[in-house]
Amino acid sequence: MRPGAGRVAATLLLTGLASAGAGELHISDARSGAALQTLPLGAAREVELSYQHSVTRTLVRETLAIDGQGFLQQRIEFSVPGPGLPTEALPGERFERRADGFVYDRMQRRIGVLHMRVDPAQAQTLRAVGGIHPLTRWGATGLRLETSGCD
């Protein structure tokens, strides 16, 4: 990652890791609860959420594990500190300052259900098994992402 990098399309990348259970990722409107999309996870048990930070306008990349309790933040990378980003590692976590930015690793921060605000200026997309799904297709809104069947 480089400070001042050009417009970066954000992605939520699902990668397959060995795990039992089919599992699904449900996307719904945060306010009304209306179902917007359900994606099969198969054996995928890790997601990577990438987006352009709304203040610093630089790429942020978060890795979250998926389990029977929802999401667990494990890693975050960014080039420029900004609002909402971690400022220090918690016990057991690893912080690394690199030439191209900052990395917090070995995180075990439970999120459970992921509530997120999407905005076309941040170009969030969901890359899942079988395709790429722009999260901004529903406009600037709040989304709720939760999993099921991921025990």
Side-chain angles (χ1 to χ4, degrees):
M1 288 179 286
R2 298 184 315 256
R7 186 173 179 83
V8 179
T11 62
L12 180 63
L13 173 65
L14 301 176
T15 57
L17 299 177
S19 181
E24 293 180 324
L25 176 62
H26 304 277
I27 304 171
S28 58
D29 182 88
R31 233 179 250 263
S32 71
L36 300 172
Q37 187 170 18
T38 298
L39 299 168
L41 292 172
R45 292 298 180 265
E46 183 176 276
V47 297
E48 182 181 290
L49 175 62
S50 299
Y51 52 90
Q52 187 176 37
H53 192 278
S54 62
V55 175
T56 66
R57 307 308 253 175
T58 56
L59 179 66
V60 177
R61 187 176 296 126
E62 300 185 38
T63 303
L64 302 109
I66 298 172
D67 62 18
Q69 297 176 38
F71 298 99
L72 183 68
Q73 186 181 38
Q74 295 185 319
R75 179 182 176 93
I76 187 166
E77 301 175 53
F78 51 92
S79 59
V80 178
L85 298 175
T87 56
E88 63 182 58
L90 298 177
E93 297 178 353
R94 184 181 71 182
F95 167 74
E96 183 180 350
R97 185 175 189 147
R98 298 179 177 173
D100 62 346
F102 306 87
V103 177
Y104 290 84
D105 203 2
R106 299 184 187 148
M107 299 168 74
Q108 295 295 306
R109 298 180 186 189
R110 174 66 55 195
I111 294 174
V113 174
L114 178 60
H115 294 267
M116 63 185 295
R117 180 90 180 144
V118 296
D119 187 296
Q122 293 174 300
Q124 295 98 340
T125 58
L126 180 69
R127 184 176 302 168
V129 178
I132 297 174
H133 312 276
L135 294 176
T136 55
R137 81 178 85 191
W138 299 289
T141 191
L143 297 178
R144 176 183 170 105
L145 282 69
E146 59 188 317
T147 62
S148 66
C150 297
D151 297 324

